Amino acid sequence: MVEILKNMWRRKTRTMLTVFGIAVGILALVVMGAMAEKLNLLVDGGTTYYKDKVTVSAKGSSFMALPIPITKKLEIEKVPGVQAVFGEAYAMLDKDLSAVNFGPPASIIGYQPGSEKYESFKLNISRGRKLIESDSKKVVLGSDLVKKLNADIGKNIKLRDTEFEVVGIYEKTFSTPDTTVMIPFADGQMIMYNDQPEIIRTNTKPSEIVYDFIVYPTKGTDPDKLAAKIQSEVSGVTTMGPKAFNDQITTSVGMFTSMIYGIALISLLVGTLSIINTMTMSISERTKEIGIKKALGAKNSDIMIEYLTEAGIIGFFGGLIGLGFGSLFVFLINSYMEKTGDKIFLLTPKLMIGAMVFSIAVGVIAGIYPALYAVKISIVKSLREE
Amino acid sequence: MVETILKLTNLRKVYIMGDKKVARKAQKAIQKLHIKYEKAIKNNSDDFKSISNTLNKAQELFSSEKYTESYLLLTGKEIHEDKNEKGVVVHALNGINLEIKTGEMVAIMGPSGSGKSTLLNMLGLLDTPTTGQIFLRDINVTGISNKKLPDIRSHQLGFVFQSFNLIPTLTAIENVMLPLKYSKVPIRNRKNMAKQALEMVNLGDRLHHTPNELSGGQRQRVAIARSIVNKPAIIFGDELTGELDTKMTREVMELVIKLNKNGQTFIIVTHNPEVAKMCQRTITIIDGKVAKK
């Protein structure tokens, strides 16, 4: 091992440039991978949330957020297979969305506390308490919004110019609830109502509008089949079951993730080529030494292992530096974004270990061609070299 | 009785360069018959004498550049030589028969291009002969597979080269430890063995010096320590004093003689008659043949 390190150090600049090439690739992989991890976690959260329920919204609301009349609740409840229906009011936390958000934007959800009884997606409280039926002008905050809103238990925050008292803070989920403000349903309806265009406001009352209904199926009912049934039996609504969620979100996110990794892999490919170049150059410089070693009894496998280890070490150091700078980059951006409540990166141990393993593997694979070249060197010819 | 450590029978090495299709074909046919001949000897078959006669005749024809006749004798088929073909056939070794006894110190001399380095490469199993046999301690090593050769090299053979051939990034002790690494000596023993070898060549105080921190004579002594560390059966020296001045040559040769007196066999290729004089026997090679034993 000492010998291999000494060999690498013979041409310091060349070795360092190669290590740097790999480091850039791994940095890209770590940063892009951390973005993909965050996105995947959001999708996983959504998949878990939607797996046993049906969401019913107004027809055409996929193009613009249209409220649905509360009267539709009675029609939905009549559909066989429906166990319970709860309305949800929704508004974006920042009315005027000025920045491009990564994942769903921070939001306000007015919900009916009784729905928790049917909910399998459990949100735990880290501090304070949950909302109860009799609450008014109270909020429970997602963990990422505490800093953004400068909030704490017992403090008041302003939502659309109305004061709300913070009564609880959710545990961190690394998913959508971290950037969600939960308020009582009626308060949510009021905010949502005020956000509507005047034409809607003049024709309805706040208590008559809902953003969507969450429908819990009876035991043994397939939520996808129930979604189809509601769609056909209730007019003017669009339904979404677990499969539709997966089809819409998972596929598009999967493509996005592939693109992210693709970009990182291209930069890593450049690093790989530079390892091949460095190792081949280094072997042609050391042809005579390879001959000497073979004359001293080195087997082809000894020579192979030596050069593959050298390439692997280049990969290892490249990975270590890339991971170090990538983690620093992720940390700095996340710290900055924390103020807005929208962290865009998630650096997981899986990603870190994966990046290191990948980096070493890239090194070793890139070393195969030069190592095979070294093995083929003829002893007699190499000993003649000056 | 002193045992024969190395024996060569009818060793030939032919290099065919460029377009010499007929020569290549004839050479292939000779090699094919040679394999048959070795098998016949191994199986005590009666026809080995007739095979041997054909083989000798074919090799004679080949040596006198009568490739078509050689091919005809071996295969019964006629081929035509294209006179426009460019290329050259070099008979580097042309039927060498030799015996080296255990504990001998033999010098191989000859003019440049006579084939002495080629012979040393064959003896050291660094290159393979075209035909002929090499017996190391009565074992025919010419037929041994390439996979097994490194084991023989690391355990039984040692090399000292003209230009020292030390690894420049490694210290003296690390250089001497290399053959131990390749012969799979346990790591814990390597340092001690290498240290002992370096002390034997009076370099016990230069263990951690790299080659460029040593004089030419010291470098060659490191190379000798590296060659003896595995206690090989034979050490081959290829012009081992070629890059040394008179004083250092004497210094290195005194060490070689000391090791030889302790029973170490040496085969040394040299241009230097003074070095040859210090050996017990001199073999002179001219035009790929033994001229004087």
Side-chain angles (χ1 to χ4, degrees):
Chain A
M1 187 57 83
V2 178
E3 188 197 342
I4 292 170
L5 292 174
K6 279 182 179 175
N7 278 337
M8 286 171 62
W9 212 235
R10 272 188 201 187
R11 303 271 180 183
K12 295 179 196 73
T13 315
R14 191 172 67 193
T15 305
M16 276 161 71
L17 283 173
T18 312
V19 167
F20 184 69
I22 288 288
V24 170
I26 292 295
L27 184 143
L29 186 74
V30 167
V31 172
M32 299 291 196
M35 195 186 270
E37 285 286 295
K38 175 74 181 179
L39 202 62
N40 284 335
L41 204 67
L42 288 172
V43 173
D44 285 349
T47 309
T48 316
Y49 178 73
Y50 286 106
K51 75 170 194 272
D52 55 358
K53 59 178 70 80
V54 177
T55 313
V56 182
S57 46
K59 199 166 201 169
S61 60
S62 52
F63 301 106
M64 58 183 292
L66 293 172
I68 182 168
I70 197 146
T71 48
K72 288 285 174 192
K73 181 178 177 181
L74 292 170
E75 287 180 52
I76 297 165
E77 279 173 338
K78 282 179 192 163
V79 177
V82 172
Q83 188 183 17
V85 181
F86 292 92
E88 257 188 353
Y90 174 88
M92 282 191 289
L93 185 61
D94 300 309
K95 196 177 174 187
D96 303 310
L97 204 60
S98 53
V100 177
N101 278 54
F102 184 84
S107 55
I108 302 167
I109 292 178
Y111 85 108
Q112 295 172 295
S115 64
E116 286 163 350
K117 175 162 88 171
Y118 303 95
E119 184 60 64
S120 65
F121 189 83
K122 297 293 177 200
L123 276 175
N124 297 320
I125 293 285
S126 74
R127 282 192 291 148
R129 65 167 177 86
K130 287 184 177 181
L131 292 176
I132 51 172
E133 295 262 12
S134 56
D135 275 336
S136 175
K137 306 285 185 291
K138 309 274 193 240
V139 297
V140 178
L141 293 178
S143 61
D144 287 354
L145 294 175
V146 177
K147 253 193 186 169
K148 179 181 175 167
L149 300 172
N150 191 24
D152 208 345
I153 305 289
K155 269 191 174 180
N156 279 5
I157 58 164
K158 260 190 180 177
L159 298 174
R160 304 284 198 280
D161 297 327
T162 308
E163 294 275 343
F164 280 78
E165 187 197 344
V166 179
V167 295
I169 293 162
Y170 285 117
E171 273 180 5
K172 197 163 179 64
T173 62
F174 295 99
S175 185
T176 313
D178 293 347
T179 53
T180 303
V181 176
M182 293 295 215
I183 59 175
F185 183 54
D187 294 335
Q189 281 180 306
M190 182 56 78
I191 289 175
M192 192 177 153
Y193 175 80
N194 287 331
D195 284 354
Q196 297 304 314
E198 196 159 352
I199 190 160
I200 295 179
R201 275 187 283 152
T202 48
N203 291 321
T204 50
K205 292 178 193 164
S207 59
E208 289 172 356
I209 58 165
V210 176
Y211 178 75
D212 60 15
F213 290 106
I214 305 298
V215 179
Y216 295 95
T218 52
K219 209 176 173 186
T221 303
D222 176 5
D224 286 314
K225 283 182 183 161
L226 183 61
K229 202 181 266 180
I230 295 169
Q231 180 86 57
S232 65
E233 290 185 17
V234 181
S235 62
V237 299
T238 300
T239 60
M240 184 171 75
K243 190 177 174 298
F245 175 82
N246 277 341
D247 290 351
Q248 276 180 26
I249 308 295
T250 316
T251 315
S252 52
V253 168
M255 276 177 67
F256 183 63
T257 311
S258 308
M259 259 172 60
I260 285 176
Y261 278 116
I263 294 165
L265 288 176
I266 288 169
S267 52
L268 206 54
L269 180 71
V270 177
T272 310
L273 293 174
S274 75
I275 291 190
I276 296 176
N277 184 39
T278 300
M279 293 299 296
T280 313
M281 291 276 287
S282 149
I283 285 166
S284 30
E285 283 168 7
R286 284 187 253 159
T287 304
K288 186 160 192 175
E289 285 175 33
I290 293 165
I292 297 168
K293 286 176 180 174
K294 284 184 176 179
L296 297 178
K299 294 188 180 78
N300 284 345
S301 57
D302 292 319
I303 303 288
M304 272 293 266
I305 288 168
E306 196 174 301
Y307 284 96
L308 289 181
T309 309
E310 192 172 323
I313 291 174
I314 290 177
F316 172 77
F317 282 120
L320 209 61
I321 294 167
L323 180 60
F325 279 107
S327 306
L328 184 70
F329 181 82
V330 164
F331 173 76
L332 291 175
I333 299 290
N334 267 355
S335 301
Y336 175 74
M337 297 296 279
E338 206 171 13
K339 292 171 203 157
T340 65
D342 188 19
K343 287 185 186 177
I344 62 170
F345 298 114
L346 179 66
L347 195 59
T348 59
K350 186 183 90 177
L351 178 65
M352 291 164 86
I353 295 167
M356 281 310 295
V357 170
F358 191 64
S359 172
I360 296 167
V362 160
V364 172
I365 292 167
I368 289 175
Y369 168 74
L372 284 173
Y373 174 73
V375 161
K376 283 180 189 160
I377 288 173
S378 138
I379 305 180
V380 176
K381 277 185 193 163
S382 60
L383 288 176
R384 264 191 229 132
E385 277 203 9
E386 284 309 318
Chain B
M1 198 182 131
V2 185
E3 69 160 332
T4 299
I5 197 161
L6 199 63
K7 189 179 157 190
L8 315 184
T9 56
N10 202 17
L11 203 74
R12 285 167 196 270
K13 182 69 181 179
V14 176
Y15 295 106
I16 302 173
M17 285 170 276
D19 295 329
K20 278 281 178 188
K21 282 181 193 157
V22 176
R24 279 181 208 284
K25 278 189 171 181
Q27 190 58 56
K28 249 186 191 167
I30 289 174
Q31 282 174 319
K32 224 173 167 181
L33 189 67
H34 200 272
I35 294 168
K36 209 173 162 187
Y37 168 71
E38 282 186 19
K39 270 187 190 166
I41 291 179
K42 204 174 169 186
N43 302 332
N44 274 331
S45 171
D46 293 335
D47 54 352
F48 90 92
K49 267 191 182 165
S50 67
I51 296 174
S52 172
N53 282 337
T54 318
L55 195 59
N56 285 338
K57 274 182 203 164
Q59 275 172 340
E60 284 307 317
L61 288 167
F62 191 91
S63 298
S64 35
E65 298 189 0
K66 293 173 179 166
Y67 310 122
T68 47
E69 286 94 325
S70 176
Y71 188 75
L72 181 68
L73 176 72
L74 291 162
T75 62
K77 292 176 195 167
E78 277 191 22
I79 45 170
H80 297 287
E81 198 170 353
D82 181 357
K83 298 287 178 196
N84 294 325
E85 273 182 356
K86 286 177 188 166
V88 65
V89 179
V90 180
H91 298 269
L93 296 178
N94 218 343
I96 303 257
N97 293 294
L98 262 186
E99 263 191 52
I100 311 282
K101 305 275 184 200
T102 302
E104 263 195 304
M105 187 162 148
V106 180
I108 299 176
M109 288 194 80
S112 292
S114 58
K116 50 189 193 305
S117 284
T118 308
L119 175 64
L120 200 76
N121 288 337
M122 302 291 146
L123 299 178
L125 309 184
L126 301 179
D127 202 355
T128 46
T130 309
T131 56
Q133 290 161 314
I134 303 169
F135 293 89
L136 180 64
R137 286 181 165 150
D138 290 334
I139 296 165
N140 184 356
V141 286
T142 31
I144 282 178
S145 74
N146 282 340
K147 276 187 181 174
K148 287 181 183 167
L149 286 178
D151 262 345
I152 299 175
R153 276 188 220 122
S154 65
H155 285 104
Q156 306 213 43
L157 310 175
F159 296 91
V160 185
F161 304 96
Q162 176 177 3
S163 46
F164 325 122
N165 284 353
L166 300 174
I167 309 290
T169 47
L170 300 183
T171 60
I173 193 160
E174 285 166 346
N175 265 294
V176 177
M177 278 159 67
L178 271 183
L180 301 171
K181 175 184 163 186
Y182 298 131
S183 55
K184 306 281 180 256
V185 170
I187 297 172
R188 60 179 183 279
N189 300 342
R190 287 181 201 167
K191 225 174 199 166
N192 261 340
M193 288 171 76
K195 204 176 153 196
Q196 277 172 20
L198 281 163
E199 280 165 357
M200 216 179 272
V201 298
N202 298 325
L203 283 177
D205 56 342
R206 295 282 190 275
L207 302 182
H208 304 293
H209 287 60
T210 51
N212 62 2
E213 294 164 346
L214 299 170
S215 69
Q218 286 172 331
R219 286 182 208 180
Q220 199 58 303
R221 280 193 276 151
V222 173
I224 292 173
R226 185 177 66 183
S227 72
I228 59 172
V229 72
N230 256 345
K231 298 182 175 60
I234 310 169
I235 294 177
F236 299 98
D238 190 1
E239 301 282 7
L240 82 173
T241 58
E243 288 190 9
L244 304 179
D245 59 25
T246 322
K247 190 181 160 223
M248 282 179 183
T249 298
R250 199 176 311 124
E251 195 181 289
V252 166
M253 283 314 292
E254 276 168 10
L255 176 65
V256 169
I257 291 165
K258 189 178 120 188
L259 292 168
N260 175 249
K261 278 184 179 159
N262 290 335
Q264 179 66 57
T265 311
F266 276 94
I267 300 176
I268 300 166
V269 163
T270 183
H271 267 111
N272 187 340
E274 294 303 315
V275 170
K277 263 188 211 166
M278 292 184 213
C279 297
Q280 296 147 7
R281 189 154 64 104
T282 301
I283 297 164
T284 309
I285 307 283
I286 295 171
D287 294 337
K289 285 180 181 169
V290 176
K292 213 162 59 177
K293 277 190 198 178

